[in-house]
Amino acid sequence: MEYQTSLTQGQPDDEAVRLLQYYEALALENDPRGYCVCTSEGKDSRVLGHLFRRAGVKHFYQHSITGIDPPELIYFQRSNFQQYRDAGYLTYDVMYRKSMWQLMLEKKIPPLRTIRYCCAELKEKRSEHQGKAVVSFGVRKYESVKRARSRNELEIALPRQKNLIMPFDDGENRKIFELCYRDREKRVNPLAYWNDADIWNYSRDVKLEQCSLYSEGFDRLGCIGYPLAREQNRRREFSRWPKFYEQYLRTFDRMLERRRQCGDAILDYASTAEIWMEWWLSDHVQETAGAGQLSLYEL
Ligand code: SF4
């Protein structure tokens, strides 16, 4: 398979390919299968995977099954993984250990912008397939203020403290990443400085198929009900996939029941499943539900 683009030297895609090729030896030293490409098969990770194939570096794919992804994205991911396997790549699907519904029942509150407990369980748990591989994500600084601060092209995961994050265009950083922290998880994120236009220009340029939901106007695909998304988008998702709305509502009801059984406070804005769910869907709530308000709950 040939991977070519009409983009010129010095463009972000060339830089990304250079970064991946630069660390291939390190990736192979850590794992003979090469880099572990973590993908949801949304637009960013589709571009990420294409860059890996184009760079010609050894890698395999890992996808986390969250149980709350849009059905169209799930079918798209399955079909792409089949194509990757047909092309000779290893692929792994990692099943969640606890579903979103179990997590909500355990926590007795829904995930909020300030308390996103679900990611750690559904998306970020290290899998046995990963081993010691150098990992790669499609994260981009442009996606949020938090990502702008906390993510970069090179990352070293440090337990119980902030991860070490570094841009690639610095010789000292490159050496630290390669030679130090040998036992820590290392991540190479070549899209860290890409903006939305870069993603779409690249996809168009290399004729990379993207999930059909983007052409329906969805600009971000991922967990249905994702608390960081705007209220309008979440309502749109729930009207597009009403079964998920019903499942969330049932879970709110079960959370209430559990709170009653445990003798926990039932607050006015959570007196019924419907009222609580409306509260949860509100942008205002998601923006203002700070630690003070949440201390009313026992986490
Ligand atoms: S809803 Fe958001 S925070 Fe929760 S698992 Fe999905 S992406 Fe992560």
Side-chain angles (χ1 to χ4, degrees), residues 43 46-47 50 53 202-204 206-210:
K43 63 182 188 305
R46 271 293 275 171
V47 166
H50 188 278
R53 298 189 291 282
Y202 185 82
S203 302
R204 193 191 53 229
V206 300
K207 299 187 175 49
L208 181 66
E209 188 190 357
Q210 293 283 9

Side-chain angles (χ1 to χ4, degrees), residues 2 9 27 47 57 70 80 120 137 150 169 185-186 214 249 271 290 293 299:
E2 281 274 301
Q9 187 70 28
V47 166
V57 295
N80 294 341
F137 294 100
S150 63
D169 66 355
E185 179 182 296
K186 291 186 176 171
Y214 292 114
L249 200 57
S271 55
Q293 191 174 6
L299 274 172

